[in-house]
Amino acid sequence: AQSVTQPDIHITVSEGASLELRCNYSYGATPYLFWYVQSPGQGLQLLLKYFSGDTLVQGIKGFEAEFKRSQSSFNLRKPSVHWSDAAEYFCAEDTGTASKLTFGTGTRLQVTL
Amino acid sequence: NAGVTQTPKFQVLKTGQSMTLQCAQDMNHNSMYWYRQDPGMGLRLIYYSASEGTTDKGEVPNGYNVSRLNKREFSLRLESAAPSQTSVYFCASTERGSGQPQHFGDGTRLSIL
């Protein structure tokens, strides 16, 4: 069965430090991959998406993600984290049917000042 | 732009009561989805509607029914609520086609006593 794995349940970083959130996917030679962010009490907002082409994709809020086919990974990065980045982050993969998504279990980011 | 609107935002039910969660989108999207979000489990698909007039089961459909009322509206019904259905419910929509990102509402927080 298709699965998306986010191995880190909770990460704490200091404001200004760099960030990398890990994601591994399991489906498709040419996957469609997404990162979403969820602030407390809110819905999910799209940060960025990968379809094909450049393996480094840029998103909103200064985030980027790198697709590595050899490692089945799509890790999210930010060079310098801001306190407002504290939220839960979800990686997702298009299942290839009716635009359904399979989500990882999420990584909660805490930012210390 | 309203995007995806869910009502109500909060609800408390007693076991055995019924309820309908409403969802409407104003983006002229073909496909709509209902998810539930539980701690540590990410988002799980309950039902989806790939296009107006069609509905299909997702990963966790038991205890739920849906109606695609028209292209804009997709409702989720709990016929006899159970405590296990306490969750946060999200509606999403997307344009048809592989790799299209989903757009999410702000959620309905449902507690069943």
Side-chain angles (χ1 to χ4, degrees):
Chain A
Q2 184 178 12
S3 66
V4 174
T5 303
Q6 294 180 247
D8 303 305
I9 296 172
H10 185 234
I11 285 182
T12 300
V13 300
S14 300
E15 188 173 42
S18 63
L19 171 69
E20 182 169 28
L21 302 182
R22 296 182 291 164
C23 172
N24 292 96
Y25 66 92
S26 70
Y27 175 80
T30 309
Y32 299 113
L33 299 165
F34 306 87
W35 274 100
Y36 285 87
V37 60
Q38 183 183 31
S39 298
Q42 301 296 314
L44 278 70
Q45 179 184 18
L46 180 70
L47 280 176
L48 48 79
K49 58 188 179 185
Y50 171 78
F51 291 168
S52 64
D54 291 342
T55 57
L56 187 64
V57 294
Q58 302 296 320
I60 62 171
K61 305 186 180 186
F63 286 91
E64 65 180 25
E66 185 172 15
F67 171 71
K68 292 185 177 180
R69 186 187 305 279
S70 62
Q71 299 178 17
S72 296
S73 69
F74 187 56
N75 294 348
L76 182 70
R77 302 197 296 241
K78 187 169 186 178
S80 178
V81 170
H82 188 263
W83 64 266
S84 60
D85 293 325
E88 189 151 22
Y89 293 80
F90 292 94
C91 182
E93 181 179 8
D94 190 310
T95 65
T97 302
S99 299
K100 292 188 292 181
L101 298 179
T102 296
F103 284 87
T105 52
T107 298
R108 182 165 296 280
L109 174 66
Q110 182 176 357
V111 180
T112 57
L113 300 175
Chain B
N1 288 335
V4 178
T5 302
Q6 293 184 235
T7 56
K9 294 189 185 303
F10 303 92
Q11 185 70 47
V12 179
L13 294 178
K14 295 181 179 179
T15 298
Q17 287 185 316
S18 62
M19 171 164 190
T20 299
L21 281 59
Q22 305 289 350
C23 174
Q25 52 92 7
D26 63 2
M27 296 171 283
N28 202 36
H29 286 164
N30 286 297
S31 304
M32 298 185 72
Y33 310 82
W34 276 106
Y35 295 89
R36 59 178 292 171
Q37 182 180 27
D38 302 292
M41 304 190 74
L43 278 77
R44 293 181 292 167
L45 183 65
I46 305 171
Y47 270 93
Y48 67 100
S49 170
S51 60
E52 186 178 358
T54 69
T55 60
D56 286 286
K57 295 179 180 179
E59 182 185 354
V60 289
N62 292 345
Y64 305 94
N65 285 300
V66 290
S67 295
R68 183 74 183 267
L69 305 171
N70 48 54
K71 191 171 185 179
R72 289 186 64 248
E73 299 172 289
F74 188 38
S75 63
L76 178 71
R77 183 163 179 82
L78 287 69
E79 290 290 353
S80 180
S84 61
Q85 294 177 305
T86 293
S87 188
V88 182
Y89 291 86
F90 287 98
C91 177
S93 70
T94 189
E95 191 48 76
R96 189 183 298 159
S98 294
Q100 296 297 325
Q102 293 184 11
H103 300 259
F104 286 81
D106 286 338
T108 295
R109 285 147 186 81
L110 182 61
S111 293
I112 299 162
L113 307 177

